Amino acid sequence: MKHSYKLVLLGIVLSIISCTSTIKKDKESTIKLTKYVNPFIGTGGHGHTYPGATVPFGMLQVSPDNGISSWDWCSGYHYSDSITIGFSHLHLSGTGIGDLADIRLMPLNKKVDLAKEVKTRNDVPYKSLYSHSDETASPGYYSVDLKDFNIKAELTSSLRTAFHKYTFSKNDLQSVVVDLGFAINWDKTIASKINVIDETTISGYRNSTGWAKNQKVFFVAKFSKPIEKFELAEDGNYTNEGNIVEGTKSFAQLYFNSKENNELQVKVAVSSVSEKNALENLSKDDFNFEKIKNEASKIWNNNLSNIVVETDNEELKNIFYTALYHTQVAPVTFSDANGEFRKENDEIVKAENYTAYSTLSLWDTFRAEHPLLTFTATDKVADIINSMLTYYETNKILPVWTLYGNETNTMTGYHSIPVIAEAYIKGIKGFDINKAYEAMKTTMMQDERGLNHYKKYGYVPHNLLDESVTITLEYAYNDWCVAQIAKELGKEEDYKYFLQRSKAYEYLFDSETGFMRGKNDQGNAWKEPFDPKYSAHRVHAEYTEGNAWQHSWFVLHDVDNLIKLHGGENKFTDKLEQLFTESSEITGENISADITGLIGQYAHGNEPSHHIAYMYNYANKPWKTQYWVREILKTQYNTTPDGLSGNEDCGQMSAWYVFSSMGLYPFSPASGDYQIGSPMFKSSTIKISETTSFTIKANNASDENIYIQSATLNGEEFNKTSISHKQILQGGVLEFIMGSTPNKKWGINH
């Protein structure tokens, strides 16, 4: 009897424990990680992010435009401003180039003169003041009160449709201006059209040139109320004929019934192909703004849940989840609902069994953004590569920097190549590796962008092409990536050829100064005079957006040999230490504005520096990596609008933070390995699959306890400064004990 009683009691206790565990799991699964995201981080300083609404990798980025043409307004918005000219539907996140800002809508409560000549924002007749105190942003949502018109404007989005909700003051005139003419930054309108199709629908197009030379945006907008009347204008003249206006710069002012209620909703879709496709992209959902807003928030929360960090510091969660958010706003969906999209030569193609993506800032994003996507958006990686291969078919060269289907040829190297190599090395399926290898090899064997010199001399001579040092170093890494895939595919001759070419950096290393330097085409003289702090932006420069201090370390694939060239580990790390402790003076009359976030001569505000702190690992001083990584995490990121030390660059600046704060970094992405730094969270859990996760624990981690004392992987001693992607995919726990003083024995190769 007593035995039965004990069994019953045990059952009750186990039931309570089970219920408690279930409640805890349910609570964990419903954590709103979106509450930690602040889209205003990066909208100040040189971050160049936008605060508007989008969904992960969405086709649309509906966001406010200040109307200023200036470098810090590249995204259309800067936190220092307090005037808006409306809400357009395409924006770049954190780039140094201003383009897009297409199809602009602005609600207002009065008639304005659409024929007025507009040269600058000051001339815009429908601009409005706003205050940050009346402005809100969260993942998938943005709102602002337009002071001049007493209107609350709210924005949200689904994958291919943007939704607007305007709340007017009682009895006020309800109107919307559609602006296809006024261009900001690099953009210039070439042709446009507005067609009032019926009482609730308009359509049209806007053709422009800028960074993307052939940008054709077709659109459809549907309103929740009938259009009672409308006025159309083009190129400074009103037109009274029909319901279509077509010209270089087209405008419309639409008027709606103000007696029924104070609210007007709009849904807008775009297409690179046609108005017909834009209509097909347009959401079939009824006008239910709150529903779409909540769905966008759920999508974001689900995506952010791919990595869960535990820390008592709420501010660190704000930085981390905002960073994780920023890593998923680009690349952007480019193919329409029916799969069609436009190439830069105006050919319309169809993405069969994949989604086409654009906004590929590869010089930046190959470093950490694309490696992060192999965890957080694995299903997108093959589609991005298939998009690259489609672009390759046009010119027989892989893309450099694609924007709205256009090749901009901006920046150096061909960094589609490491993205493809990394995906294959990591076992990602869904693309034709043989076709991809052909594209990689063909790209590196052609003669454009200095490859003719590179093939002839083994490096790019400074007297034949600007930015010769950076170009040489990046082609060397590209070659190494091609070699890795050649080896995987059993192409032995190709492997040997590209591996030999990947040693090109050796030609440019000056053992006397310890820097990579410009060499002439005779191979017998360095460029003089030489000042490692000297910067020249894009003209008569050996280094891209930087100087010798920042660019001399780009040998991702052969650090051991670079250490030998420096004369051994101690000389190598002495030089590294000098990089971080040298004065931050930059010399020259045409200094690159991209050199920001300086710690000594290390420039975290631009991508060429991003791997450097991890190089101590290769020279048996991992505690130095731990120190400097923490210093960068602490000083280069914060929760203010000025919280990024340089251009966000489509997710790269944030991806560095996501990886480094967890204690990992994809130093050489195509190697499939991650260098270990200094984990700052109690735990970081990466979701590998529905049943597998990988957790990094950092016991005692704090602002003081930055040094690794010991580590275990799944309970076994772990004494290495790197871990492979394959090991992480298997799941488990990598556990560190952290302390305030270096353990100079941990992670050392004897």
Side-chain angles (χ1 to χ4, degrees):
M1 190 72 179
K2 287 181 180 177
H3 182 67
S4 299
Y5 173 76
K6 287 179 179 177
L7 286 175
V8 172
L9 185 61
L10 179 62
I12 293 171
V13 171
L14 290 174
S15 178
I16 291 170
I17 292 171
S18 176
C19 288
T20 304
S21 177
T22 302
I23 291 168
K24 186 179 179 183
K25 284 181 180 177
D26 288 346
K27 185 179 179 183
E28 286 174 353
S29 66
T30 56
I31 291 173
K32 281 208 70 168
L33 297 176
T34 51
K35 73 179 182 180
Y36 297 113
V37 176
N38 177 4
F40 289 112
I41 293 176
T43 59
H46 304 315
H48 297 173
T49 63
Y50 59 81
T54 189
V55 293
F57 314 104
M59 177 175 274
L60 295 159
Q61 312 83 40
V62 56
S63 190
D65 296 327
N66 294 134
I68 292 284
S69 293
S70 182
W71 191 56
D72 276 334
W73 278 258
C74 279
S75 74
Y77 177 99
H78 195 264
Y79 198 80
S80 63
D81 215 324
S82 58
I83 294 175
T84 185
I85 62 168
F87 311 100
S88 61
H89 290 78
L90 300 175
H91 292 86
L92 285 165
S93 178
T95 67
I97 299 286
D99 209 330
L100 304 181
D102 290 86
I103 320 301
R104 186 176 300 110
L105 272 60
M106 181 64 164
L108 66 169
N109 62 357
K110 64 180 184 180
K111 172 181 165 56
V112 294
D113 183 5
L114 298 179
K116 179 183 178 182
E117 184 179 14
V118 175
K119 291 184 177 179
T120 69
R121 178 177 76 175
N122 294 335
D123 304 321
V124 175
Y126 46 84
K127 64 181 180 292
S128 175
L129 283 167
Y130 66 92
S131 168
H132 294 309
S133 61
D134 299 317
E135 189 181 30
T136 303
S138 61
Y141 176 72
Y142 173 85
S143 74
V144 67
D145 291 350
L146 303 174
K147 286 188 173 185
D148 287 17
F149 307 129
N150 296 314
I151 297 168
K152 181 174 184 176
E154 299 175 83
L155 310 171
T156 189
S157 188
S158 61
L159 184 65
R160 290 188 176 88
T161 302
F163 294 79
H164 303 234
K165 178 182 174 184
Y166 307 138
T167 305
F168 295 81
S169 296
K170 191 175 181 180
N171 297 324
D172 266 8
L173 176 73
Q174 294 182 18
S175 182
V176 174
V177 165
V178 181
D179 174 1
L180 305 186
F182 183 56
I184 54 177
N185 287 317
W186 278 248
D187 194 46
K188 178 184 178 183
T189 313
I190 294 174
S192 59
K193 182 187 84 169
I194 300 172
N195 178 13
V196 182
I197 296 175
D198 57 39
E199 63 177 8
T200 60
T201 313
I202 67 170
S203 70
Y205 62 79
R206 180 175 184 267
N207 297 348
S208 63
T209 187
W211 199 27
K213 299 301 180 188
N214 183 25
Q215 191 178 321
K216 294 179 178 175
V217 184
F218 300 86
F219 77 97
V220 171
K222 197 167 186 68
F223 298 86
S224 61
K225 289 180 179 181
I227 302 167
E228 290 194 328
K229 67 174 183 175
F230 58 86
E231 295 159 347
L232 305 175
E234 53 91 12
D235 302 333
N237 298 295
Y238 277 96
T239 176
N240 299 314
E241 298 179 6
N243 59 346
I244 298 178
V245 60
E246 198 163 7
T248 302
K249 299 179 180 181
S250 300
F251 300 85
Q253 183 163 12
L254 314 174
Y255 301 88
F256 302 87
N257 186 331
S258 60
K259 296 176 182 177
E260 191 176 315
N261 58 53
N262 299 339
E263 186 179 291
L264 175 66
Q265 293 192 43
V266 196
K267 50 186 179 180
V268 181
V270 302
S271 164
S272 66
V273 176
S274 65
E275 293 169 59
K276 176 178 175 291
N277 276 22
L279 183 59
E280 290 180 14
N281 288 342
L282 191 70
S283 170
K284 305 303 184 286
D285 284 331
D286 294 332
F287 288 98
N288 188 334
F289 186 89
E290 289 302 313
K291 176 189 171 188
I292 303 300
K293 172 187 168 185
N294 291 336
E295 286 177 354
S297 181
K298 286 179 183 176
I299 292 168
W300 273 114
N301 201 60
N302 183 60
N303 278 40
L304 295 172
S305 299
N306 285 321
I307 303 178
V308 176
V309 298
E310 184 184 345
T311 175
D312 295 328
N313 189 327
E314 295 289 287
E315 189 170 295
L316 290 182
K317 282 188 178 180
N318 291 144
I319 299 172
F320 180 87
Y321 282 108
T322 302
L324 191 57
Y325 164 81
H326 277 141
T327 66
Q328 297 184 51
V329 298
V332 302
T333 298
F334 190 54
S335 53
D336 293 332
N338 65 4
E340 292 180 341
F341 62 99
R342 181 184 299 271
K343 296 169 79 170
E344 63 183 316
N345 62 357
D346 282 324
E347 180 187 358
I348 306 301
V349 294
K350 191 168 187 177
E352 300 284 359
N353 302 316
Y354 75 97
T355 298
Y357 289 90
S358 195
T359 308
L360 298 173
S361 181
L362 293 162
W363 187 79
D364 310 290
T365 57
F366 88 90
R367 303 166 197 265
E369 159 76 2
H370 283 282
L372 186 61
L373 296 185
T374 66
F375 288 121
T376 60
T378 314
D379 59 326
K380 305 286 190 296
V381 176
D383 286 3
I384 292 167
I385 292 171
N386 284 320
S387 303
M388 294 175 180
L389 296 179
T390 302
Y391 300 140
Y392 164 75
E393 289 171 0
T394 305
N395 297 319
K396 295 304 176 186
I397 297 174
L398 281 166
V400 177
W401 210 128
T402 59
L403 176 66
Y404 214 75
N406 284 236
E407 176 56 80
T408 67
N409 268 315
T410 299
M411 308 312 291
T412 45
Y414 283 101
H415 300 304
S416 307
I417 289 171
V419 173
I420 296 169
E422 176 191 27
Y424 188 71
I425 294 294
K426 288 183 173 180
I428 289 174
K429 310 296 183 185
F431 64 97
D432 184 341
I433 187 56
N434 291 304
K435 179 180 177 182
Y437 179 74
E438 175 205 313
M440 295 165 72
K441 179 180 177 181
T442 302
T443 297
M444 291 308 294
M445 291 304 293
Q446 45 85 21
D447 291 332
E448 293 189 19
R449 292 163 45 87
L451 271 169
N452 55 333
H453 305 313
Y454 180 79
K455 289 188 296 183
K456 180 178 179 180
Y457 299 100
Y459 61 96
V460 178
H462 75 81
N463 56 315
L464 300 183
L465 190 66
D466 282 345
E467 302 180 335
S468 61
V469 174
T470 298
I471 292 170
T472 298
L473 298 178
E474 292 184 5
Y475 282 161
Y477 184 63
N478 295 159
D479 276 343
W480 183 83
C481 293
V482 177
Q484 303 316 297
I485 302 305
K487 185 178 181 181
E488 290 285 326
L489 298 179
K491 300 178 183 295
E492 189 64 23
E493 285 189 19
D494 283 2
Y495 169 68
K496 291 178 180 177
Y497 174 77
F498 285 106
L499 189 65
Q500 181 61 37
R501 271 199 355 187
S502 75
K503 297 178 182 178
Y505 66 89
E506 292 181 350
Y507 287 103
L508 301 188
F509 183 77
D510 175 15
S511 58
E512 191 173 316
T513 63
F515 291 101
M516 298 288 179
R517 296 183 57 185
K519 182 173 281 188
N520 68 7
D521 58 349
Q522 300 300 309
N524 58 8
W526 303 112
K527 184 177 180 182
E528 298 288 356
F530 176 67
D531 173 4
K533 295 182 179 180
Y534 178 81
S535 164
H537 187 67
R538 311 315 296 262
V539 180
H540 305 307
E542 287 84 73
Y543 313 95
T544 303
E545 297 179 356
N547 61 23
W549 270 115
Q550 291 131 28
H551 283 262
S552 293
W553 309 95
F554 192 79
V555 185
L556 305 182
H557 55 294
D558 202 2
V559 183
D560 290 343
N561 190 45
L562 183 63
I563 291 170
K564 289 178 183 176
L565 292 177
H566 274 270
E569 291 178 352
N570 288 334
K571 288 186 177 180
F572 180 76
T573 54
D574 285 349
K575 191 77 172 183
L576 272 177
E577 202 66 12
Q578 189 183 355
L579 166 76
F580 286 103
T581 56
E582 185 76 18
S583 79
S584 295
E585 177 195 15
I586 306 295
T587 61
E589 297 178 356
N590 181 28
I591 295 170
S592 176
D594 297 275
I595 304 176
T596 57
L598 286 163
I599 301 175
Q601 285 289 315
Y602 173 90
H604 193 71
N606 208 17
E607 282 67 25
S609 287
H610 278 192
H611 68 286
I612 299 175
Y614 290 91
M615 299 187 92
Y616 290 100
N617 280 356
Y618 292 86
N620 278 319
K621 291 186 181 176
W623 64 92
K624 288 287 189 181
T625 282
Q626 294 155 32
Y627 175 83
W628 286 114
V629 166
R630 277 297 193 98
E631 188 69 13
I632 297 162
L633 285 165
K634 183 172 65 177
T635 62
Q636 303 301 308
Y637 298 84
N638 62 62
T639 57
T640 70
D642 199 8
L644 297 173
S645 60
N647 294 348
E648 163 63 12
D649 283 319
C650 295
Q652 170 57 28
M653 194 68 64
S654 289
W656 189 96
Y657 187 92
V658 170
F659 270 123
S660 295
S661 63
M662 293 193 295
L664 305 174
Y665 192 71
F667 182 91
S668 173
S671 71
D673 292 330
Y674 302 88
Q675 290 298 307
I676 290 171
S678 175
M680 64 192 303
F681 299 122
K682 288 182 180 178
S683 71
S684 310
T685 300
I686 303 170
K687 180 181 177 182
I688 305 300
S689 69
E690 292 301 324
T691 57
T692 307
S693 63
F694 184 80
T695 298
I696 301 163
K697 290 186 176 181
N699 298 313
N700 308 323
S702 67
D703 286 345
E704 294 76 31
N705 295 336
I706 65 175
Y707 297 106
I708 296 170
Q709 306 299 301
S710 63
T712 58
L713 178 61
N714 298 326
E716 300 289 326
E717 182 183 359
F718 187 82
N719 196 33
K720 293 175 60 180
T721 58
S722 67
I723 187 170
S724 72
H725 191 74
K726 287 181 179 178
Q727 286 175 296
I728 293 174
L729 290 186
Q730 290 168 4
V733 178
L734 177 60
E735 188 165 5
F736 296 98
I737 305 297
M738 308 299 292
S740 59
T741 57
N743 175 4
K744 297 184 180 181
K745 294 181 179 179
W746 184 84
I748 303 303
N749 294 318
H750 296 289

